[in-house]
């Protein structure tokens, strides 16, 4: 299961990226989990469905009818944006596409819990550290296909670590 | 999607009921959503899988490996027992089997949000009211088949109300 | 800190009970934590403030202005009714007054986590068990003063157990 | 109420900044709300208590004994890092000091809900946009006193907007 994150309002090229990511994930046998609403979330679900994939939407509200039309399994959390933590935790890896502040909170939650994050034209994050600037752990991708490749590889590594006796979430 | 709730520790006859409920739900084409752990939750998933159904586990922890072996789609909430509210909200109706205090909290959340609750040898709830005792809105069933029948009927009524323009969650 | 739970709509005698409970808790030096909205929650806060106490409201929404006028410290959870689990966890003991379904979910969460629950004309809960009916662990009180007495005693016992090296939440 | 965010592990100068921020907030009559654990959270609470202030800790766990020694009011959420959304929502403004991934998620939640964020040597965030790079809305401060000044000003503006009929959370 790969989480794909991004905002409701997104420029056309980001939506096209999201749709391509969804299609590629489905073709390679991965389920898509996302926030279930519009924009990037809808585009990735549409892409996944066009290639016969399955999609899960972790909704902020309590009404499954709020999910976009390409969500197979709507989870009605009713906990608002606190659901962002659940979206990223439910994936074995995360692909962040473009994105606004909600996406930023999801990147923080993912990296904080050791879920690998692949970024496709998303936030660039730095923090000042003694002796210079430290980059975050976002793994940069330049194409949808590469983002999927990197995400599946990272997810496989986590599952392998888990099968060899370590905890899935480090 | 029908939510089935009940505790990790349950007597053998309740586990058998849960397995029969899962089997019957799958046979009638409904997906099972539950808390994803052991006991009643495992029994209903096992029943559903034995009849070719699909199962969703809304886990309290952040580790999908904690899900019972019959969960197809583990949702790692990481929010502890506050996830009980999500379990019942995600079903169009709820079947409560036996159950301990967690189940009690789920019944409260479901009834509070207008999600119909079918009870199979579960909690009996009363509150004092002016002029006597008021029973809760739990709909009592005596067999697994009847519980499934009542749950699907209640779910259909909600979906019909929703399609006719009302909100799914009254 | 004692959690007081009960619904927005409550009959006048229950509201009077809640106000008396708030007053008595404040007189005895306990802070009141509640859901922060109207009805029983407002009455208990009003009582506490009338006796110089301090009140905390754990709100379902994200707007502190939704709190009733007697809440000193509004906590804006934004997680809806999943906040019920937080209300009872934050008290060292719980007093349930009257109450509707939300209160029922809170009683379930509290008993499930080992937080003692004192009931003042609230839900009556039973479940069928082999060899008869089992009552729940709600400790019944008949007057506001007795409810406060029992709650403070239960809270003291928990704190003592915790100070002697055990975990506060068993 | 001003939320102060930052991580458990922080360098000495960031801890000193946090303590100065807490002291200054208390001197100017503001309550401190934070995540209630160690590091920056402990330092800001220690500073606030040294100047007679009041402190609230929104804990990830369910045990109030986990709070640092300078928390007056521990809120035991039990919802893990999803509590980050509650911390920032409960402040009328946020001061971010240094910080790791958890802080990043809190900045995202705050900016996403329109809560002003003042940054003191914290994350630097950029995202690519058509026609160049867009900075985030973090308001930069260079000293603890300036951070407090900016936070109180931003909080006052929000409260004024709210009193004039607008919603507190835009």
């Amino acid at each position: 299961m790969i989480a794909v994150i991004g905002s409701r309002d997104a420029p056309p090229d980001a939506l096209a990226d999201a749709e391509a990511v969804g299609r590629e994930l489905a073709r390679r046998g991965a389920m898509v989990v996302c926030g279930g609403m519009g924009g990037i979330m809808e585009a990735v679900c549409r892409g996944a469905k066009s290639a016969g994939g399955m999609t899960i939407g972790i909704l902020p509200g309590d009404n499954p009818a709020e999910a976009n039309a390409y969500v197979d399994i709507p989870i009605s959390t009713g906990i608002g944006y606190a659901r962002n933590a659940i979206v990223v935790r439910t994936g074995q890896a995360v692909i962040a596409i473009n994105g606004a502040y909600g996406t930023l909170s999801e990147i923080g939650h993912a990296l904080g819990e050791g879920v690998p994050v692949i970024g496709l034209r998303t936030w660039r994050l730095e923090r000042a550290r003694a002796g210079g600037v430290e980059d975050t752990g976002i793994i940069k991708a330049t194409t949808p296909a590469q983002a999927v490749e990197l995400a599946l590889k990272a997810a496989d590594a986590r599952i392998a670590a888990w099968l060899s006796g370590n905890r899935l979430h480090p």
Side-chain angles (χ1 to χ4, degrees), chain A:
Chain A
M1 245 190 287
I2 304 294
V4 181
I5 60 177
S7 59
R8 298 191 203 193
D9 292 312
D13 58 335
L15 294 174
D17 277 355
E19 190 160 347
V21 162
R23 211 158 41 223
E24 184 69 8
L25 283 171
R27 283 201 321 130
R28 299 188 60 171
M31 259 189 267
V32 168
V33 57
C34 71
M37 305 302 286
I40 294 291
M41 298 170 267
E42 182 168 358
V44 71
C45 289
R46 189 169 53 233
K49 294 311 296 174
S50 76
M54 176 169 288
T55 60
I56 301 163
I58 315 266
L59 305 170
D62 59 4
N63 189 343
E66 290 169 1
N68 72 61
Y70 306 97
V71 168
D72 292 318
I73 301 181
I75 306 291
S76 307
T77 70
I79 64 168
Y81 295 113
R83 72 77 151 90
N84 291 2
I86 302 181
V87 172
V88 295
R89 232 174 239 147
T90 294
Q92 270 82 55
V94 170
I95 299 175
I97 303 173
N98 195 266
Y101 295 132
T103 308
L104 185 60
S105 76
E106 290 171 317
I107 291 171
H109 281 299
L111 294 175
E113 304 195 26
V115 186
V117 177
I118 318 301
L120 196 52
R121 285 179 274 286
T122 186
W123 288 94
R124 184 160 171 273
L125 314 173
E126 284 176 353
R127 53 182 166 169
R129 280 293 171 264
V133 152
E134 186 194 54
D135 204 347
T136 60
I138 298 183
I139 303 163
K140 286 182 185 59
T142 52
T143 65
Q146 190 198 9
V148 169
E149 177 64 32
L150 289 167
L152 293 177
K153 218 166 112 181
D156 283 348
R158 289 184 81 214
I159 294 171
W162 163 63
L163 289 176
S164 74
N166 298 315
R167 215 163 154 279
L168 192 52
H169 291 272

